[in-house]
mmCIF file with all atom_site columns, all heavy atoms in Angstrom:
data_model
loop_
_atom_site.group_PDB
_atom_site.id
_atom_site.type_symbol
_atom_site.label_atom_id
_atom_site.label_alt_id
_atom_site.label_comp_id
_atom_site.label_asym_id
_atom_site.label_entity_id
_atom_site.label_seq_id
_atom_site.pdbx_PDB_ins_code
_atom_site.Cartn_x
_atom_site.Cartn_y
_atom_site.Cartn_z
_atom_site.occupancy
_atom_site.B_iso_or_equiv
_atom_site.pdbx_formal_charge
_atom_site.auth_seq_id
_atom_site.auth_comp_id
_atom_site.auth_asym_id
_atom_site.auth_atom_id
_atom_site.pdbx_PDB_model_num
ATOM 1   N N   . ALA U 1 159 ? 26.080 2.396  8.443  1.00 0.00 ? 159 ALA U N   1
ATOM 2   C CA  . ALA U 1 159 ? 25.749 3.790  8.299  1.00 0.00 ? 159 ALA U CA  1
ATOM 3   C C   . ALA U 1 159 ? 26.962 4.651  7.951  1.00 0.00 ? 159 ALA U C   1
ATOM 4   O O   . ALA U 1 159 ? 26.947 5.434  7.037  1.00 0.00 ? 159 ALA U O   1
ATOM 5   C CB  . ALA U 1 159 ? 24.983 4.307  9.493  1.00 0.00 ? 159 ALA U CB  1
ATOM 6   N N   . ARG U 1 160 ? 28.034 4.364  8.727  1.00 0.00 ? 160 ARG U N   1
ATOM 7   C CA  . ARG U 1 160 ? 29.245 5.193  8.489  1.00 0.00 ? 160 ARG U CA  1
ATOM 8   C C   . ARG U 1 160 ? 29.820 4.917  7.120  1.00 0.00 ? 160 ARG U C   1
ATOM 9   O O   . ARG U 1 160 ? 30.266 5.811  6.451  1.00 0.00 ? 160 ARG U O   1
ATOM 10  C CB  . ARG U 1 160 ? 30.308 4.857  9.610  1.00 0.00 ? 160 ARG U CB  1
ATOM 11  C CG  . ARG U 1 160 ? 29.965 5.508  10.928 1.00 0.00 ? 160 ARG U CG  1
ATOM 12  C CD  . ARG U 1 160 ? 31.153 5.489  11.893 1.00 0.00 ? 160 ARG U CD  1
ATOM 13  N NE  . ARG U 1 160 ? 31.582 4.139  12.132 1.00 0.00 ? 160 ARG U NE  1
ATOM 14  C CZ  . ARG U 1 160 ? 31.122 3.430  13.205 1.00 0.00 ? 160 ARG U CZ  1
ATOM 15  N NH1 . ARG U 1 160 ? 30.191 3.906  13.982 1.00 0.00 ? 160 ARG U NH1 1
ATOM 16  N NH2 . ARG U 1 160 ? 31.554 2.144  13.382 1.00 0.00 ? 160 ARG U NH2 1
ATOM 17  N N   . ALA U 1 163 ? 27.590 6.759  4.605  1.00 0.00 ? 163 ALA U N   1
ATOM 18  C CA  . ALA U 1 163 ? 27.826 8.188  4.728  1.00 0.00 ? 163 ALA U CA  1
ATOM 19  C C   . ALA U 1 163 ? 29.152 8.611  4.101  1.00 0.00 ? 163 ALA U C   1
ATOM 20  O O   . ALA U 1 163 ? 29.296 9.622  3.435  1.00 0.00 ? 163 ALA U O   1
ATOM 21  C CB  . ALA U 1 163 ? 27.760 8.641  6.228  1.00 0.00 ? 163 ALA U CB  1
ATOM 22  N N   . LEU U 1 168 ? 30.193 12.440 3.110  1.00 0.00 ? 168 LEU U N   1
ATOM 23  C CA  . LEU U 1 168 ? 29.801 13.249 4.294  1.00 0.00 ? 168 LEU U CA  1
ATOM 24  C C   . LEU U 1 168 ? 30.862 13.064 5.362  1.00 0.00 ? 168 LEU U C   1
ATOM 25  O O   . LEU U 1 168 ? 31.340 11.964 5.589  1.00 0.00 ? 168 LEU U O   1
ATOM 26  C CB  . LEU U 1 168 ? 28.454 12.787 4.782  1.00 0.00 ? 168 LEU U CB  1
ATOM 27  C CG  . LEU U 1 168 ? 27.291 12.926 3.763  1.00 0.00 ? 168 LEU U CG  1
ATOM 28  C CD1 . LEU U 1 168 ? 25.991 12.213 4.284  1.00 0.00 ? 168 LEU U CD1 1
ATOM 29  C CD2 . LEU U 1 168 ? 27.028 14.412 3.524  1.00 0.00 ? 168 LEU U CD2 1
ATOM 30  N N   . THR U 1 169 ? 31.223 14.182 6.055  1.00 0.00 ? 169 THR U N   1
ATOM 31  C CA  . THR U 1 169 ? 32.215 14.098 7.166  1.00 0.00 ? 169 THR U CA  1
ATOM 32  C C   . THR U 1 169 ? 31.713 14.879 8.343  1.00 0.00 ? 169 THR U C   1
ATOM 33  O O   . THR U 1 169 ? 30.719 15.642 8.243  1.00 0.00 ? 169 THR U O   1
ATOM 34  C CB  . THR U 1 169 ? 33.559 14.705 6.697  1.00 0.00 ? 169 THR U CB  1
ATOM 35  O OG1 . THR U 1 169 ? 33.299 15.999 6.172  1.00 0.00 ? 169 THR U OG1 1
ATOM 36  C CG2 . THR U 1 169 ? 34.218 13.822 5.605  1.00 0.00 ? 169 THR U CG2 1
ATOM 37  N N   . GLY U 1 170 ? 32.364 14.753 9.455  1.00 0.00 ? 170 GLY U N   1
ATOM 38  C CA  . GLY U 1 170 ? 32.118 15.576 10.636 1.00 0.00 ? 170 GLY U CA  1
ATOM 39  C C   . GLY U 1 170 ? 30.666 15.491 11.100 1.00 0.00 ? 170 GLY U C   1
ATOM 40  O O   . GLY U 1 170 ? 30.066 14.379 11.191 1.00 0.00 ? 170 GLY U O   1
ATOM 41  N N   . ASP U 1 171 ? 30.098 16.727 11.393 1.00 0.00 ? 171 ASP U N   1
ATOM 42  C CA  . ASP U 1 171 ? 28.645 16.710 11.947 1.00 0.00 ? 171 ASP U CA  1
ATOM 43  C C   . ASP U 1 171 ? 27.679 16.182 10.911 1.00 0.00 ? 171 ASP U C   1
ATOM 44  O O   . ASP U 1 171 ? 26.736 15.567 11.337 1.00 0.00 ? 171 ASP U O   1
ATOM 45  C CB  . ASP U 1 171 ? 28.300 18.175 12.261 1.00 0.00 ? 171 ASP U CB  1
ATOM 46  C CG  . ASP U 1 171 ? 28.983 18.606 13.530 1.00 0.00 ? 171 ASP U CG  1
ATOM 47  O OD1 . ASP U 1 171 ? 29.563 17.711 14.289 1.00 0.00 ? 171 ASP U OD1 1
ATOM 48  O OD2 . ASP U 1 171 ? 29.002 19.791 13.815 1.00 0.00 ? 171 ASP U OD2 1
ATOM 49  N N   . GLN U 1 172 ? 27.957 16.388 9.627  1.00 0.00 ? 172 GLN U N   1
ATOM 50  C CA  . GLN U 1 172 ? 27.003 15.805 8.598  1.00 0.00 ? 172 GLN U CA  1
ATOM 51  C C   . GLN U 1 172 ? 27.049 14.335 8.590  1.00 0.00 ? 172 GLN U C   1
ATOM 52  O O   . GLN U 1 172 ? 25.994 13.688 8.408  1.00 0.00 ? 172 GLN U O   1
ATOM 53  C CB  . GLN U 1 172 ? 27.382 16.349 7.224  1.00 0.00 ? 172 GLN U CB  1
ATOM 54  C CG  . GLN U 1 172 ? 27.168 17.872 7.023  1.00 0.00 ? 172 GLN U CG  1
ATOM 55  C CD  . GLN U 1 172 ? 27.587 18.385 5.694  1.00 0.00 ? 172 GLN U CD  1
ATOM 56  O OE1 . GLN U 1 172 ? 27.893 17.587 4.830  1.00 0.00 ? 172 GLN U OE1 1
ATOM 57  N NE2 . GLN U 1 172 ? 27.729 19.690 5.640  1.00 0.00 ? 172 GLN U NE2 1
ATOM 58  N N   . MET U 1 173 ? 28.192 13.715 8.805  1.00 0.00 ? 173 MET U N   1
ATOM 59  C CA  . MET U 1 173 ? 28.274 12.288 8.910  1.00 0.00 ? 173 MET U CA  1
ATOM 60  C C   . MET U 1 173 ? 27.503 11.781 10.079 1.00 0.00 ? 173 MET U C   1
ATOM 61  O O   . MET U 1 173 ? 26.679 10.866 10.024 1.00 0.00 ? 173 MET U O   1
ATOM 62  C CB  . MET U 1 173 ? 29.809 11.893 9.051  1.00 0.00 ? 173 MET U CB  1
ATOM 63  C CG  . MET U 1 173 ? 30.095 10.603 9.728  1.00 0.00 ? 173 MET U CG  1
ATOM 64  S SD  . MET U 1 173 ? 30.132 9.198  8.630  1.00 0.00 ? 173 MET U SD  1
ATOM 65  C CE  . MET U 1 173 ? 31.789 9.190  8.001  1.00 0.00 ? 173 MET U CE  1
ATOM 66  N N   . LYS U 1 174 ? 27.582 12.518 11.217 1.00 0.00 ? 174 LYS U N   1
ATOM 67  C CA  . LYS U 1 174 ? 26.813 12.135 12.457 1.00 0.00 ? 174 LYS U CA  1
ATOM 68  C C   . LYS U 1 174 ? 25.314 12.206 12.140 1.00 0.00 ? 174 LYS U C   1
ATOM 69  O O   . LYS U 1 174 ? 24.585 11.291 12.540 1.00 0.00 ? 174 LYS U O   1
ATOM 70  C CB  . LYS U 1 174 ? 27.164 13.039 13.628 1.00 0.00 ? 174 LYS U CB  1
ATOM 71  C CG  . LYS U 1 174 ? 28.450 12.532 14.317 1.00 0.00 ? 174 LYS U CG  1
ATOM 72  C CD  . LYS U 1 174 ? 28.670 13.370 15.654 1.00 0.00 ? 174 LYS U CD  1
ATOM 73  C CE  . LYS U 1 174 ? 30.081 13.314 16.011 1.00 0.00 ? 174 LYS U CE  1
ATOM 74  N NZ  . LYS U 1 174 ? 30.531 14.554 16.635 1.00 0.00 ? 174 LYS U NZ  1
ATOM 75  N N   . SER U 1 175 ? 24.910 13.318 11.554 1.00 0.00 ? 175 SER U N   1
ATOM 76  C CA  . SER U 1 175 ? 23.473 13.479 11.315 1.00 0.00 ? 175 SER U CA  1
ATOM 77  C C   . SER U 1 175 ? 23.026 12.395 10.360 1.00 0.00 ? 175 SER U C   1
ATOM 78  O O   . SER U 1 175 ? 21.893 11.872 10.537 1.00 0.00 ? 175 SER U O   1
ATOM 79  C CB  . SER U 1 175 ? 23.170 14.885 10.639 1.00 0.00 ? 175 SER U CB  1
ATOM 80  O OG  . SER U 1 175 ? 23.831 15.868 11.259 1.00 0.00 ? 175 SER U OG  1
ATOM 81  N N   . ALA U 1 176 ? 23.790 12.134 9.337  1.00 0.00 ? 176 ALA U N   1
ATOM 82  C CA  . ALA U 1 176 ? 23.357 11.169 8.350  1.00 0.00 ? 176 ALA U CA  1
ATOM 83  C C   . ALA U 1 176 ? 23.275 9.782  8.924  1.00 0.00 ? 176 ALA U C   1
ATOM 84  O O   . ALA U 1 176 ? 22.353 9.033  8.601  1.00 0.00 ? 176 ALA U O   1
ATOM 85  C CB  . ALA U 1 176 ? 24.319 11.152 7.156  1.00 0.00 ? 176 ALA U CB  1
ATOM 86  N N   . THR U 1 177 ? 24.177 9.376  9.784  1.00 0.00 ? 177 THR U N   1
ATOM 87  C CA  . THR U 1 177 ? 24.145 8.028  10.328 1.00 0.00 ? 177 THR U CA  1
ATOM 88  C C   . THR U 1 177 ? 22.959 7.867  11.290 1.00 0.00 ? 177 THR U C   1
ATOM 89  O O   . THR U 1 177 ? 22.281 6.827  11.249 1.00 0.00 ? 177 THR U O   1
ATOM 90  C CB  . THR U 1 177 ? 25.442 7.634  11.054 1.00 0.00 ? 177 THR U CB  1
ATOM 91  O OG1 . THR U 1 177 ? 25.772 8.684  12.020 1.00 0.00 ? 177 THR U OG1 1
ATOM 92  C CG2 . THR U 1 177 ? 26.590 7.474  10.079 1.00 0.00 ? 177 THR U CG2 1
ATOM 93  N N   . ALA U 1 178 ? 22.607 8.926  12.009 1.00 0.00 ? 178 ALA U N   1
ATOM 94  C CA  . ALA U 1 178 ? 21.466 8.856  12.905 1.00 0.00 ? 178 ALA U CA  1
ATOM 95  C C   . ALA U 1 178 ? 20.201 8.780  12.003 1.00 0.00 ? 178 ALA U C   1
ATOM 96  O O   . ALA U 1 178 ? 19.271 8.010  12.332 1.00 0.00 ? 178 ALA U O   1
ATOM 97  C CB  . ALA U 1 178 ? 21.401 10.088 13.780 1.00 0.00 ? 178 ALA U CB  1
ATOM 98  N N   . LEU U 1 179 ? 20.215 9.541  10.965 1.00 0.00 ? 179 LEU U N   1
ATOM 99  C CA  . LEU U 1 179 ? 18.989 9.514  10.042 1.00 0.00 ? 179 LEU U CA  1
ATOM 100 C C   . LEU U 1 179 ? 18.797 8.102  9.429  1.00 0.00 ? 179 LEU U C   1
ATOM 101 O O   . LEU U 1 179 ? 17.675 7.559  9.384  1.00 0.00 ? 179 LEU U O   1
ATOM 102 C CB  . LEU U 1 179 ? 19.184 10.530 8.977  1.00 0.00 ? 179 LEU U CB  1
ATOM 103 C CG  . LEU U 1 179 ? 18.080 10.798 7.989  1.00 0.00 ? 179 LEU U CG  1
ATOM 104 C CD1 . LEU U 1 179 ? 18.118 12.256 7.501  1.00 0.00 ? 179 LEU U CD1 1
ATOM 105 C CD2 . LEU U 1 179 ? 18.123 9.884  6.785  1.00 0.00 ? 179 LEU U CD2 1
ATOM 106 N N   . MET U 1 180 ? 19.940 7.532  9.053  1.00 0.00 ? 180 MET U N   1
ATOM 107 C CA  . MET U 1 180 ? 19.825 6.178  8.446  1.00 0.00 ? 180 MET U CA  1
ATOM 108 C C   . MET U 1 180 ? 19.301 5.186  9.373  1.00 0.00 ? 180 MET U C   1
ATOM 109 O O   . MET U 1 180 ? 18.488 4.302  9.055  1.00 0.00 ? 180 MET U O   1
ATOM 110 C CB  . MET U 1 180 ? 21.186 5.725  7.993  1.00 0.00 ? 180 MET U CB  1
ATOM 111 C CG  . MET U 1 180 ? 21.650 6.412  6.711  1.00 0.00 ? 180 MET U CG  1
ATOM 112 S SD  . MET U 1 180 ? 23.411 5.973  6.328  1.00 0.00 ? 180 MET U SD  1
ATOM 113 C CE  . MET U 1 180 ? 23.841 7.199  5.109  1.00 0.00 ? 180 MET U CE  1
ATOM 114 N N   . VAL U 1 208 ? 21.116 17.819 7.622  1.00 0.00 ? 208 VAL U N   1
ATOM 115 C CA  . VAL U 1 208 ? 20.785 16.795 6.708  1.00 0.00 ? 208 VAL U CA  1
ATOM 116 C C   . VAL U 1 208 ? 19.336 16.322 6.889  1.00 0.00 ? 208 VAL U C   1
ATOM 117 O O   . VAL U 1 208 ? 19.017 16.030 8.051  1.00 0.00 ? 208 VAL U O   1
ATOM 118 C CB  . VAL U 1 208 ? 21.727 15.580 6.942  1.00 0.00 ? 208 VAL U CB  1
ATOM 119 C CG1 . VAL U 1 208 ? 21.420 14.393 5.995  1.00 0.00 ? 208 VAL U CG1 1
ATOM 120 C CG2 . VAL U 1 208 ? 23.204 15.963 6.836  1.00 0.00 ? 208 VAL U CG2 1
#
Side-chain angles (χ1 to χ4, degrees):
R160 285 194 298 272
L168 300 170
T169 53
D171 286 344
Q172 290 176 15
M173 157 87 85
K174 278 188 201 145
S175 314
T177 52
L179 185 151
M180 286 174 194
V208 179

